[in-house]
Each structure stands twice: as C-alpha cells, then as structure tokens.
Amino acid sequence: MPLPSTPLTLRAVFRRQLEQLRTSSRLPRSAPPRRFQSTHPTPTPTPGPKDAAAKPKPAATSDPVPAGTVPVAPLPLWLRLGPLTRTGQAYARAQRRRPWATQVVTSLFIYLAADLSAQRIGGKDYVPERTARNLVVGVVFAVPNYLWFVWLSRNFNYASHAVSIGVKIVIQQLVFTTVFSTYFFGFQALLAGDSLPEAWDRVRRTVPTSWVNAMKLWPAVTAFSFTFVPMEYRGVFAGVVSVGWQTYLSYLNRRAEIEEEASHGKPAALPAPTEKTPVQIDAQKHRVAA
C-alpha cells in the first residue's frame, strides 16, 4: 500500500489542532476574584484571654540596684560595745565548747563578788569563812542552774510569745526560786555548823522574804532575757544581775545569823580586871578621907 503524501498528512494534523482550539474557546472561563480596596484601615483583632495565655511572656530583667541604696539592718546593741562585745563573744564560744566548766567558773566569780559586796555593806571586818561558804554553795549549784535554764528555754514555747513568757515566769517563780532559796539558806546554815533544826529555822525565816523580793526583780529579768538576749549570752546577762541578787541574799543570810546569835542569849564578854597602881590607890584614899 502506497504511503500518503506529506502535504496531506500535514493538512490533517493542522485541521485536528484547529478543531481542538475551537472546542476550548467555547468553554466558559472563570474570572479571577475581584479585590476591593477601602480607604478605612483594617481593624486589628483584640486578643482574647486564651491568646494572652498562649503568648509567651518576655523574660523579666531586673535592673541592678546601686550599692549605696541597699538597706542594711542595724546591728544589735550587744554587738556594738567594742571590748565588751568581744568579751561576750569569747564567753559564748567557751559556753558552746565546755558549758559545764564555763558555768562553774562563772559561778565562782559571781558568788565571790556578791560575798565581798555583802561584807562591805555590813561594815564589819572581813570574814574569809563566809566567802568560802559562798563559793561552795555557788559551785555545787552551778550545773543544775545551767540545766534548768536550758530546759526552760526549750519548753513552754507556744504560738503566742506573750503566753510563752508568762508561763516561763510562773514556773520560774514557783519552782526554781523556791528550790534555790531553800537550798541557799539551808546549805549556808549547815556549812556554818548548824544542826538540821537550826537550818530549817533559818529557811523558815528567810525564804518567804527572799521569795517576795524575787517577785520584784526576776520576772522582768526573765522576760527580757527570753525576748531580747540570744541563748549564748543569757548566762552573761543573768550573771550580771545575779551579782546584785546574791549580794542581797548574802546580806539577808548574815542578818539571820545575827538574829540567831541574839536569840541564843550569848552573854557579852566582861572586861578583864586590871591591877591598880600605887598612885591610883593613894588617890582613892584621899577621896574616901574627903
């Protein structure tokens, strides 16, 4: 079979392409969306609470405060006393390391100063035996005294500071003051050589007076100590107050000793007879003759 000629083939292809163009031109064309321009600005949408929560917040950067404007708390009074502060700090360190030995040495100083003051107030000659008795009384009671105040500071601590201080004061006066006064005057009498009934008689005559006078001093001292004084400095504070208080107790004990001597009815010492000289004898004869 003979092949078609080239002009006929090209004519058929051209005709086919022309028909396809006519068919496509008949289909409707979709117009692009018309955009309207407005002179009013587009409102910005207000962010809602969810958008605000979802939006991450920028990291807060704090400006450094100048050093000159930083408030500094003032030091307590007992830390601004120079040599006294250094002495108190040394005592506090010794108290933490060896509390019992520190309390014994402290009691020796307190009772020595108190007895010397009491004997000086009495206006009589110095009696070393009284000082020795006072030192023995102080040394024996030094450690129990320290343990008592540690126990009292660790107990009866309530939500209200006023209630805590009130309970501590009541227990201090009812228990400690009564026991210590009985021990002080009774042991002083026994060391002086008195019998048990005589020691009890001295306790009976001196403890009520000292207890009533203690109510005038030690409640205020206890409240101030447990409110303002740190634990390690309470021994120093109580020791300073105790010098005056022990002076009063020593004076009260000495007055009881004088009353006991007077109640025993000791006769006064009579002056020793003296020999008369011849001149005194002649003078006496002249007075008789006259």
Side-chain angles (χ1 to χ4, degrees):
M1 180 177 181
L3 295 175
S5 62
T6 302
L8 293 177
T9 305
L10 294 174
R11 189 181 300 174
V13 172
F14 179 75
R15 188 180 299 169
R16 189 178 301 169
Q17 292 294 333
L18 183 61
E19 290 178 359
Q20 291 179 359
L21 289 174
R22 290 176 181 177
T23 304
S24 61
S25 61
R26 294 175 184 177
L27 294 176
R29 296 180 180 180
S30 59
R34 187 176 180 181
R35 297 180 181 180
F36 297 94
Q37 296 181 356
S38 176
T39 57
H40 300 284
T42 304
T44 304
T46 304
K50 295 183 179 180
D51 299 335
K55 184 178 181 180
K57 297 182 179 180
T61 57
S62 59
D63 296 334
V65 181
T69 61
V70 177
V72 179
L75 293 175
L77 177 61
W78 53 82
L79 295 180
R80 294 180 291 166
L81 299 179
L84 294 179
T85 299
R86 290 190 290 271
T87 303
Q89 291 173 346
Y91 180 86
R93 289 193 296 269
Q95 179 73 29
R96 288 190 293 268
R97 293 174 183 174
R98 298 179 179 179
W100 290 15
T102 304
Q103 289 300 314
V104 170
V105 175
T106 304
S107 297
L108 287 175
F109 278 99
I110 291 174
Y111 281 81
L112 176 62
D115 183 74
L116 294 178
S117 301
Q119 293 201 42
R120 186 177 181 84
I121 293 173
K124 296 185 178 181
D125 295 336
Y126 174 70
V127 182
E129 291 79 7
R130 285 185 55 191
T131 303
R133 290 197 297 267
N134 264 326
L135 293 179
V136 172
V137 170
V139 169
V140 171
F141 202 72
V143 175
N145 179 55
Y146 167 73
L147 295 178
W148 165 262
F149 279 100
V150 171
W151 177 82
L152 189 63
S153 63
R154 293 177 178 175
N155 293 277
F156 309 105
N157 298 315
Y158 305 105
S160 174
H161 181 72
V163 174
S164 302
I165 295 298
V167 173
K168 291 176 188 290
I169 290 174
V170 171
I171 295 177
Q172 172 82 4
Q173 292 301 122
L174 292 180
V175 179
F176 180 81
T177 302
T178 305
V179 172
F180 175 75
S181 299
T182 303
Y183 158 78
F184 180 84
F185 293 109
F187 200 28
Q188 286 274 10
L190 293 176
L191 291 177
D194 295 345
S195 60
L196 287 178
E198 292 173 342
W200 171 248
D201 183 66
R202 183 180 299 186
V203 168
R204 183 179 54 82
R205 288 185 292 107
T206 54
V207 169
T209 303
S210 66
W211 193 89
V212 171
N213 291 328
M215 287 291 297
K216 304 174 184 177
L217 173 66
W218 285 105
V221 174
T222 303
F224 185 88
S225 177
F226 282 100
T227 302
F228 300 105
V229 182
M231 180 64 186
E232 60 268 19
Y233 295 106
R234 287 175 187 170
V236 179
F237 177 74
V240 173
V241 180
S242 296
V243 171
W245 179 247
Q246 294 300 329
T247 300
Y248 165 74
L249 293 182
S250 299
Y251 169 77
L252 192 62
N253 181 71
R254 179 56 184 165
R255 192 175 68 178
E257 291 177 353
I258 295 175
E259 292 176 358
E260 290 176 2
E261 293 175 358
S263 63
H264 290 164
K266 293 182 179 180
L270 298 176
T274 57
E275 295 183 0
K276 296 182 179 181
T277 61
V279 177
Q280 292 175 341
I281 294 175
D282 293 339
Q284 186 178 3
K285 287 181 180 180
H286 288 299
R287 283 196 299 270
V288 172

